[in-house]
Amino acid sequence: MDRSEQDVIDQALAWRSEGRRVALATVIATWGSSPRPVGSQLAVDEAGQMVGSVSGGCIEGAVVKEAQEIMAGAKPRLLDFGITNEQAWEVGLACGGKLQVYVEAVE
């Protein structure tokens, strides 16, 4: 575990020790082009504060939305995101890719 990954875990635990609800998102698989490698993490607290990153842009927004639902009592979730090579070219990206992100509450 590198320093930035440890920082995410440390911050999540600090927020929990302050009595905040916290969710942790972890990239568990990637295929093709992906902005963050497997093992990348994002911690979110109930106030919407974040540390770390699992992707960026609209994917990160979707992950935060799911994290909020999980902090409110929903079950952990495995999220799938992907874009085909054809779709990537249509929106001006060089290539497509997929990633899976597991989101869970920190207890």
Side-chain angles (χ1 to χ4, degrees):
M1 179 178 299
D2 71 21
R3 185 67 230 156
S4 63
E5 292 168 336
Q6 187 62 49
D7 290 345
V8 172
I9 299 292
D10 290 346
Q11 185 61 65
L13 294 174
W15 286 336
R16 281 298 299 142
S17 71
E18 295 170 3
R20 300 183 202 186
R21 289 182 293 181
V22 178
L24 183 66
T26 306
V27 176
I28 63 164
T30 64
W31 299 268
S33 177
S34 178
R36 302 286 296 149
V38 169
S40 297
Q41 294 184 308
L42 170 72
V44 181
D45 79 352
E46 61 192 324
Q49 293 186 16
M50 301 180 292
V51 62
S53 177
V54 293
S55 176
C58 59
I59 289 176
E60 207 133 276
V63 170
V64 169
K65 181 180 180 286
E66 296 289 335
Q68 291 169 338
E69 292 177 13
I70 290 166
M71 284 183 280
K75 292 183 179 181
R77 294 188 183 127
L78 179 61
L79 309 175
D80 288 298
F81 299 98
I83 185 168
T84 66
N85 285 337
E86 293 78 24
Q87 291 169 323
W89 280 109
E90 288 173 14
V91 297
L93 300 173
C95 57
K98 296 181 182 182
L99 70 147
Q100 288 186 319
V101 179
Y102 185 70
V103 186
E104 62 190 321
V106 177
E107 301 295 332

